[in-house]
Amino acid sequence: MSLQRRYRIAVGGIAFEGNSLSPMRSARDAFEQKYLKVGDEIATDLADTTTEHAGALAVLRLRGAEILPLLATHGGAGGRVTAACWADLKGELLARLRRAMPVDGVYLALHGAMLCEGVDDPEGEILDEVRDIVGSVPVAVSYDLHGHLTQRMLDAADITLAYQLYPHDDGFETGQRAVGLLLRTLDGEIRPVTSMCRIPAIIPSLKQRTRGHTPMVQLYRLARSYEAAGDALSVSYFAPQPWLDLPGLGFTGVAVTDANVARATEIAAAIAHRGWELRHDFDIDIVAVDDAIRRGLNIAGSPVILVDASDCVGGGASGDSVAALQRLLELAPDATAATIIVDPETAAQAVAAGVGAEIAVALGNKLDPAYGAPLARTARVERVSDGRFRYSGGIYGNTEAEMGPSALLSIGAARVVVASFPSYEYADEQFRALGLDVRKLKFIVVKNPMNYQQVYEDAAATFILDTPGPTTPDLKHIAIPQAGRPLFPFDDGFNPEYAAFLGARSRR
């Protein structure tokens, strides 16, 4: 096939991270609050971002391809996407694909752990429908490395790969890699085949950083070695979001090779088995909230990072837990501290009262009241905002997001950003949007399991808190019966020699 041919490539994707333990439901507005681009908006609004779509567009433009933009969005995380929203987004993407036909290739950026009302495998569903539309046309799909890859998802695509890095700072490069392999397939240079191997293990994400000295670094290096040696076109590891009550959940190795099914299967198995060997190295120390605060007070310097990973918006929690804030106010009332609470009612109350007002608040624990009552306090309104901010990096880099009407409250020595909408924590963008420099404070409560590690690398100390919530890092006590057994960490007697080889696929 001539390299001069101008290929027609459809580009789109619907990404969302679901959580079976979360009561949250996400409608279209949850996607719009991050980014939701349709048609030509993809090329104009996402080109200068760090998203997968931006990486794909850059490669396609260099190649002179005709870009056929569909729908591109990321709704963050929550429990499940509403049935109406899923039907709306999926229907719009597929309708645009039908109108774009004929196409030479398709690239989609998905997450892999999406859940919808009434649908446990929405990515498999949409990929099947894409395949019905395009027939044998090559389809390349990229995922978050915390996705739960199913056989249905694997079968519907010619190229399957994931982010290589965590924190997820390689969205742009992931789009480049996926489209690069897609173009090589169209040129007749390669005939990609994909295999995956799953080990029944789930692991906490706090030691999954792919920089420094963590067990995940070993998997990263092993995968890159296979690629550098020419044994594989792409090697991925999927450490799925662990709060998914779905059959077949587990750590998964994926390899894409050039027409070599046997080698793809060997490499996928090697990645999965190495994940099993390292499973105990991902263990973390979880500290009672009171102990963490007392120890933090005795540490010279600041900031002291209190990691409330159980209320991680990026994993599907509500972001409205006040567990850490309540104990800070009671045990360390004179210590400066900062946190973010999602509470649209209190945010509206503060905005209406205005800067300088003193208000009686019932803060938090409303969106997900299972873990306690709201915190009753008197607060001073220090600042109000429309909640708009721009991400400095990661999967949303240089995209504009919003927390909705928001306020900075002072409750004693503590500063609380109260937001109307949940928003993914990458760095300290939400604090800065309300004019707060948290690095000057004694305690910072973060509600993510990973990004804080690069944002506050110079912290005086860090404690992972034992707090309630649907994204708890204490995986031994979560309820996911449909995931099946054996499953680490509930069971540790599984023989990895009997790993499930979930199939190899070639469409070329």
Side-chain angles (χ1 to χ4, degrees):
M1 188 176 295
S2 171
L3 291 177
Q4 300 304 309
R5 179 176 172 188
R6 189 167 187 253
Y7 297 122
R8 291 169 49 84
I9 307 296
V11 176
I14 305 170
F16 182 86
E17 185 170 1
N19 183 320
S20 300
L21 309 184
S22 172
M24 305 296 290
R25 292 294 180 266
S26 297
R28 189 181 178 102
D29 60 351
F31 291 82
E32 292 171 341
Q33 288 156 16
K34 285 77 175 179
Y35 67 84
L36 198 169
K37 306 299 178 183
V38 179
D40 292 339
E41 293 175 346
I42 296 173
T44 57
D45 295 353
L46 295 181
D48 294 328
T49 68
T50 61
T51 62
E52 301 96 305
H53 306 98
L57 291 171
V59 173
L60 292 173
R61 283 170 174 155
L62 282 175
R63 180 61 183 269
E66 183 179 355
I67 299 168
L68 307 168
L70 307 175
L71 176 146
T73 187
H74 199 307
R80 289 178 180 264
V81 174
T82 65
C85 177
W86 173 236
D88 182 30
L89 296 177
K90 182 185 73 166
E92 193 160 3
L93 186 148
L94 294 175
R96 287 182 172 273
L97 179 59
R98 291 187 186 96
R99 290 197 295 270
M101 293 296 290
V103 301
D104 295 305
V106 178
Y107 167 63
L108 296 178
L110 306 177
H111 183 283
M114 189 175 191
L115 292 175
C116 300
E117 291 177 336
V119 184
D120 285 343
D121 186 8
E123 284 106 341
E125 180 178 276
I126 195 170
L127 287 173
D128 273 349
E129 295 187 47
V130 166
R131 180 59 69 189
D132 287 343
I133 294 169
V134 302
S136 61
V137 162
V139 175
V141 187
S142 66
Y143 296 97
D144 189 304
L145 65 82
H146 293 119
H148 168 53
L149 191 65
T150 67
Q151 184 74 56
R152 187 180 186 186
M153 292 155 64
L154 186 80
D155 286 349
D158 297 88
I159 297 161
T160 297
L161 53 81
Y163 298 152
Q164 296 177 347
L165 301 180
Y166 188 45
H168 303 317
D169 292 325
D170 62 331
F172 186 93
E173 292 78 9
T174 300
Q176 287 182 310
R177 291 188 293 115
V179 168
L181 292 178
L182 180 64
L183 291 174
R184 291 176 65 190
T185 302
L186 290 171
D187 288 339
E189 180 184 339
I190 59 173
R191 295 177 58 246
V193 295
T194 307
S195 183
M196 69 176 178
C197 176
R198 178 127 64 227
I199 293 291
I202 54 174
I203 54 178
S205 57
L206 289 100
K207 286 188 179 179
Q208 290 183 25
R209 192 175 183 185
T210 49
R211 299 184 182 92
H213 302 285
T214 71
M216 205 66 166
V217 171
Q218 297 186 44
L219 289 161
Y220 171 84
R221 290 174 176 168
L222 179 59
R224 304 291 78 75
S225 295
Y226 283 121
E227 293 169 347
D231 287 341
L233 301 169
S234 173
V235 180
S236 303
Y237 28 81
F238 286 79
Q241 206 266 56
W243 311 287
L244 292 173
D245 192 14
L246 297 174
L249 193 67
F251 185 90
T252 303
V254 175
V256 182
T257 64
D258 183 8
N260 191 335
V261 174
R263 190 59 176 142
T265 301
E266 290 172 2
I267 294 171
I271 294 292
H273 281 72
R274 187 60 180 140
W276 175 261
E277 293 168 355
L278 294 168
R279 65 196 183 282
H280 291 292
D281 293 345
F282 288 94
D283 290 344
I284 54 175
D285 294 323
I286 301 175
V287 181
V289 179
D290 289 9
D291 289 346
I293 294 170
R294 292 190 180 103
R295 289 164 63 180
L297 288 170
N298 290 324
I299 292 172
S302 61
V304 172
I305 309 301
L306 302 178
V307 183
D308 186 7
S310 298
D311 192 34
C312 174
V313 165
S318 60
D320 76 334
S321 172
V322 292
L325 174 62
Q326 181 169 354
R327 298 309 295 155
L328 277 168
L329 293 174
E330 293 174 359
L331 294 178
D334 299 324
T336 57
T339 188
I340 302 172
I341 304 293
V342 180
D343 185 338
E345 179 183 299
T346 299
Q349 178 187 1
V351 170
V355 173
E358 298 240 343
I359 57 176
V361 298
L363 185 62
N365 285 2
K366 297 168 188 168
L367 300 173
D368 191 354
Y371 303 105
L375 178 64
R377 286 290 190 278
T378 297
R380 176 182 171 84
V381 182
E382 301 292 346
R383 184 172 294 201
V384 297
S385 166
D386 64 5
R388 293 185 181 277
F389 64 94
R390 189 169 292 276
Y391 281 107
S392 60
I395 56 176
Y396 296 126
N398 207 31
T399 64
E400 188 178 76
E402 57 178 310
M403 299 179 282
S406 303
L408 176 65
L409 304 182
S410 60
I411 305 176
R415 299 293 180 267
V416 183
V417 171
V418 183
S420 295
F421 311 141
S423 57
Y424 174 79
E425 288 183 23
Y426 176 71
D428 58 351
E429 293 95 342
Q430 289 93 329
F431 289 123
R432 286 190 282 108
L434 272 297
L436 186 60
D437 183 359
V438 292
R439 287 172 174 78
K440 296 179 180 179
L441 307 181
K442 178 64 178 180
F443 291 101
I444 305 173
V445 179
V446 299
K447 296 190 174 186
N448 69 81
M450 176 54 60
N451 292 338
Y452 76 87
Q453 296 181 28
Q454 60 184 4
V455 180
Y456 306 112
E457 285 187 305
D458 57 350
T462 298
F463 299 98
I464 302 166
L465 303 181
D466 183 8
T467 49
T471 55
T472 174
D474 185 7
L475 302 184
K476 289 183 180 179
H477 297 102
I478 62 175
I480 48 171
Q482 293 186 75
R485 299 293 186 272
L487 180 66
F488 179 84
F490 310 109
D491 311 285
D492 199 22
F494 170 74
N495 185 345
E497 295 304 316
Y498 299 104
F501 288 93
L502 297 179
R505 183 70 180 182
S506 173
R507 287 192 172 272
R508 303 297 294 167

